[in-house]
Amino acid sequence: MNDPAPVKKPVSLTLPDGSVRTFDGPVTGLRLAGDIGPGLVKAALAIYVNGALWDLKREIDFDADVAIMTSKDEGALDLLRHDAAHVLAEAVQELFPGTQVTIGPNIEDGFYYDFARDEPFTEDDLAVIEARMHEIVERDEAITREVWDRNEAIDHFKSIGEIYKAEIIADLPEGEPITVYRQGDWKDLCRGPHLPSTGKLGTAFKLMKVAGAYWRGDARNEMLTRIYGTAWRDRKELKAYLHRLEEAAKRDHRKLGREMDLFHLQEEAQGSVFWHPNGYTVWLALENYIRMRLAGAGYREVKTPQLLDSKFWEQSGHWSKFRENMFVVPDEVPSTDEDAPVLSGDSRLMALKPMNCPAHVQIFKQGIKSYRDLPLRLAEFGCCHRNEAHGALHGLMRVRQMTQDDAHIFCREDQVTSESVAFCQLLISVYKDLGFDDVQVKLATRPDVRAGEDAVWDKAEKGLEDALVAAGLEYEVTPGEGAFYGPKLEFHLSDAIGRTWQCGTLQLDFVLPERLDASYIAEDGERHRPVMLHRAILGTLERFIGIMIEHYAGRLPLWLAPTQAVVTTITSDADAYAEQVCAQAKTAGLRVKLDVRNEKINYKVREHSHAKVPAILVVGKREAEEGRVSVRRLGTKDQTVMPLEDAIAALVDEARVPSSTPAA
RNA sequence: GCCGCUGUAGCUCAGUGGUAGAGCGCACCCUUGGUAAGGGUGAGGUCGAGAGUUCAAUUCUCUCCAGCGGCACCA
């Protein structure tokens, strides 16, 4: 029996300008482009069909709103980068037979592909692979989409030794079409869409680095070898991107920390910071600012022990949940005999605190608390130690000894929302004072394994959400990412190269008060559990200062700058006057240094500019005679000559701590 | 912790199977110069640590340590 000839149904496509083109049957994006103009065939990369992105060579057999994507479109880069990942994979499999492909998505600024190979790639391989990628682009291999049967696909990929691909297919939801993209002799399972041919990728790509990455992002799985690359529309964009990376490297807080003499790290205390006088000046300015803001928001500052007995941590739950991150110390007098073992026998175990919360609960528990005492807000610049994995350490951003601007709010359940709102408002106000407007906010909701009843979680999550809305914050929900004891808000800031770091946080906790038996007497005369809010604005002083250095490229606002002004001379004739200027500025409360070295003014200006000193007060014979100073501000070449008093007054005004009341 | 790379003077980096070099910085001398490097002289290095190969190792091999880039973890 013959199939009846398919009835050709006309297809009408509506273009973005509203015009409609009708074809006598199914039509590809490519044909539509040709119908519109030959230039478009060349420029077209893919086509939007009712909002979904399709391959140009896929037949459209129904009426639809369409838009042809060219490299100018937003989203074109994603497509380009995804194709670059495929070309990378093809190149790798050509060059290194037996290498398995896994996944290769586009990411911000580029793409990567994870390969399974006994021998990991090294950076030397990149040049060879990249050269092969260029060949594949030159071959201009046609890329075609095929829909496969699920089981056939699994069998096929298994048969060619691609067990990861087979696993991916097996895990795809039933009913999801299995699409395989063929480019030349090479093929890969992929959702698509893709460019019509490899030639469309162009030459504006570059392989950047190799790295290890766990299969499916799980450390229990085997490690794959990942190749990162970047891809752009044209060479000019690629060059601009590489330039951007170079510029970002100049703002690296580790580099600036050295250049500005702020801090250093050394291997005998890895992960713990040696703060130099300059850096600690910034620290103190920031800490005092936060101290002022907290006092204004009704917090009381406390200080709790560093070293606590292991039984304390057992009670808090840290011993079972967090011990691998804790520094444990035996409480024993070490042997003074050089040849004897340092420690012997069985001593009690102590641990350096990794968090402040259990200690704050102890303060709460002293005496009997009434509902009238709530909310009780206990703040501490708490120095904590966490034994972070070696590979996690990163300058100031990830350390082992950290000082949090920590506080715990003990309150009634009905106070959770108002406390959360107040916290968000405080946080935003602080970030604004510190120059950060661009904050990524995440609401991490209940994880699968959790303590507490769902009704409580409902309330807690809603409380946090309400707080975000009340504070006018945009946020993203990260489901399942909350702590086991409660949901949390995370406030992320970006570093110089776009990596984001969590700084502020607000976590609701219904578990710890229970575990440590904290209670208050309510109006009904009964004992009730308080709710605990763990919260930090900066997160840790270390990380926040690291972020600030990069954010400001070292050019800290005057109130935070270690040295606010340098007074320097043209010739030694003005030394006496310079000393007077310096003394007067100091008296006015400025952090000022005197530089009367026998060096040329060019040299001294250059040096202090490199050190990121915000203001240079140059004095020569003329200024000395007139009681004036020549002010040169960092980042400009301008010089303003003004009376000494005016210059000092202006600097003092600018150096005022934000949100502080001006001196009367 | 896992994968890759790196480790030479205070900093940035060159270099070599026969124990090392530059620029900047530093010290001293000359220079008193109006807003991003004035000139000269000099002092600095167990070439990350340990083992191995070798007549000889900073150089080659192995182990360890640390740093860097990712992954995982996380403020």
Side-chain angles (χ1 to χ4, degrees), chain A residues 14-16 28-30 32-34 36-37 39-57 60 65-83 106 192-196 200 233:
Chain A
T14 309
L15 294 167
T28 65
L30 217 47
L32 170 68
I36 297 169
L40 193 55
V41 176
K42 216 174 155 198
L45 300 177
I47 182 166
Y48 286 102
V49 178
N50 289 337
L53 200 57
W54 282 36
D55 300 284
L56 280 179
K57 288 186 287 194
I60 306 162
D65 289 329
V66 298
I68 288 174
M69 173 194 261
T70 67
S71 70
K72 290 194 188 80
D73 283 273
E74 205 162 317
L77 268 176
D78 292 346
L79 197 66
L80 220 57
R81 287 167 181 162
H82 188 188
D83 274 68
N106 58 289
H194 279 282
L195 303 173
K200 295 265 186 188
R233 293 178 183 87

Side-chain angles (χ1 to χ4, degrees), chain A residues 115-317:
Chain A
F115 300 98
R117 184 172 179 242
D118 294 338
E119 186 102 342
F121 294 109
T122 71
E123 254 142 50
D124 294 338
D125 296 325
L126 294 186
V128 182
I129 298 169
E130 195 175 299
R132 180 60 64 98
M133 287 174 70
H134 281 287
E135 282 175 35
I136 292 169
V137 168
E138 252 175 59
R139 282 185 223 151
D140 197 18
E141 295 168 350
I143 302 174
T144 50
R145 176 181 187 271
E146 296 170 6
V147 180
W148 284 29
D149 172 79
R150 183 190 191 83
N151 292 327
E152 274 175 29
I154 293 174
D155 289 345
H156 169 78
F157 281 103
K158 271 189 187 156
S159 75
I160 59 169
E162 295 281 3
I163 55 170
Y164 292 92
K165 282 289 173 193
E167 195 178 321
I168 293 169
I169 300 168
D171 284 355
L172 285 175
E174 292 286 343
E176 175 119 353
I178 309 297
T179 53
V180 169
Y181 280 80
R182 213 178 265 280
Q183 76 192 30
D185 297 328
W186 186 81
K187 57 185 174 308
D188 190 13
L189 168 85
C190 185
R191 188 181 296 123
H194 279 282
L195 303 173
S197 66
T198 57
K200 295 265 186 188
L201 176 57
T203 58
F205 60 84
K206 183 175 164 58
L207 298 183
M208 302 297 284
K209 55 199 174 193
V210 290
Y214 296 108
W215 167 235
R216 302 206 149 156
D218 190 328
R220 287 167 302 189
N221 291 341
E222 58 275 34
M223 178 151 282
L224 308 171
T225 167
R226 174 176 295 181
I227 298 177
Y228 281 97
T230 187
W232 299 86
R233 293 178 183 87
D234 53 49
R235 304 289 295 181
K236 205 172 140 194
E237 276 189 0
L238 173 64
K239 213 176 144 194
Y241 171 68
L242 297 176
H243 183 251
R244 180 149 61 88
L245 289 185
E246 279 172 32
E247 288 302 305
K250 291 183 191 161
R251 321 166 65 111
D252 189 310
H253 73 281
R254 294 163 299 186
K255 181 178 157 70
L256 286 169
R258 198 167 38 238
E259 289 171 2
M260 296 169 69
D261 195 16
L262 299 174
F263 66 89
H264 84 269
L265 294 153
Q266 66 186 51
E267 65 176 274
E268 290 79 4
Q270 46 175 303
S272 300
V273 185
F274 292 78
W275 288 98
H276 298 193
N278 280 347
Y280 199 54
T281 303
V282 179
W283 176 298
L284 287 174
L286 189 59
E287 186 181 285
N288 284 327
Y289 161 77
I290 293 294
R291 182 168 278 133
M292 172 195 81
R293 296 303 311 265
L294 290 179
Y299 290 77
R300 305 289 310 280
E301 192 173 334
V302 298
K303 202 75 179 172
T304 59
Q306 289 293 321
L307 208 49
L308 291 115
D309 196 291
S310 59
K311 75 178 185 206
F312 178 82
W313 299 111
E314 281 164 30
Q315 198 188 359
S316 70

Side-chain angles (χ1 to χ4, degrees), chain A residues 330-342:
Chain A
D331 179 21
E332 185 181 351
V333 180
S335 169
T336 51
D337 181 351
E338 254 187 64
D339 298 328
V342 176

